[in-house]
Amino acid sequence: HGDEVVLSAFANNALTGYRALVDFGAADNGVSFGRHVTSDGRVEFVALVAHTFGADDPDTVEEFRQGAGATNAAPRVGPVVISEIMYHPPDLGTNDNTRDEYIELHNISTTPVGLVEGTNSWRLRDAVDFDFAPGTVIPAGGYLLVVGFDPANNPAALAGFRSRYNLGGSTPIVGPYSGKL
């Protein structure tokens, strides 16, 4: 479910006074987190592709503490990434065009990815909230669009959206999310 941690800096076996509070998201067991500076300069703690402990797989806490560590490995990316966000498209007449806003997810792997496995469900949070329904799968190399209207119960909005972006019927579209981009 994620958590938060306070990191404190030591020098010569004494606290330096420098510390940072970091929130981090959920991860699989055995996955290391590390500091990563994003393309827009923000510092995030993200899952890494490999462990970077000085004493990897230690038998005791004391053995772990003896490790000097290594440079952080690369961030773990995928298998699903946000590939596009359509924020505030041109208004429809005098109305704010929330119909044509969307979040595009892309499966960058070579195998299908189910977004709900047992009791674990992928979800979007913060600006918009959306929980994926059981059976939602993004095919290998495929895309899925998440929109702010209900595509199953609002065929007029769905037709307008597909027309606006020249999308065929094979592009999966789910919604509605709550909130606003």
Side-chain angles (χ1 to χ4, degrees), residues 93-108:
T94 58
N95 296 324
D96 185 16
N97 185 3
T98 58
R99 180 201 72 191
D100 292 335
E101 291 185 336
Y102 64 86
I103 300 169
E104 180 183 72
L105 302 179
H106 180 205
N107 176 359
I108 61 172

Side-chain angles (χ1 to χ4, degrees), residues 1-178:
H1 299 289
D3 208 337
E4 66 182 17
V5 66
V6 176
L7 303 173
S8 300
F10 284 84
N12 300 321
N13 293 324
L15 285 169
T16 65
Y18 178 78
R19 68 179 183 177
L21 172 70
V22 178
D23 292 317
F24 56 91
D28 292 328
N29 288 335
V31 173
S32 291
F33 277 84
R35 184 177 182 273
H36 176 72
V37 179
T38 64
S39 61
D40 61 355
R42 290 177 297 115
V43 174
E44 301 281 347
F45 276 74
V46 299
L48 303 177
V49 297
H51 293 157
T52 54
F53 301 133
D56 199 13
D57 198 23
D59 292 325
T60 66
V61 172
E62 290 75 25
E63 186 181 338
F64 171 80
R65 289 180 177 155
Q66 291 173 6
T71 301
N72 282 347
R76 184 178 296 236
V77 178
V80 175
V81 297
I82 296 175
S83 55
E84 187 173 356
I85 297 175
M86 174 52 75
Y87 165 74
H88 197 65
D91 290 338
L92 295 171
T94 58
N95 296 324
D96 185 16
N97 185 3
T98 58
R99 180 201 72 191
D100 292 335
E101 291 185 336
Y102 64 86
I103 300 169
E104 180 183 72
L105 302 179
H106 180 205
N107 176 359
I108 61 172
S109 75
T110 58
T111 59
V113 174
L115 301 183
V116 178
E117 295 180 17
T119 59
N120 295 322
S121 174
W122 289 47
R123 60 188 192 175
L124 300 175
R125 290 294 183 267
D126 288 333
V128 300
D129 289 346
F130 184 76
D131 294 326
F132 292 92
T136 305
V137 175
I138 304 176
Y143 294 85
L144 175 82
L145 298 175
V146 185
V147 297
F149 63 90
D150 185 345
N153 294 314
N154 192 340
L158 179 60
F161 184 85
R162 286 192 184 279
S163 175
R164 167 82 167 93
Y165 295 113
N166 196 27
L167 297 172
S170 64
T171 302
I173 300 174
V174 297
Y177 55 64
S178 61

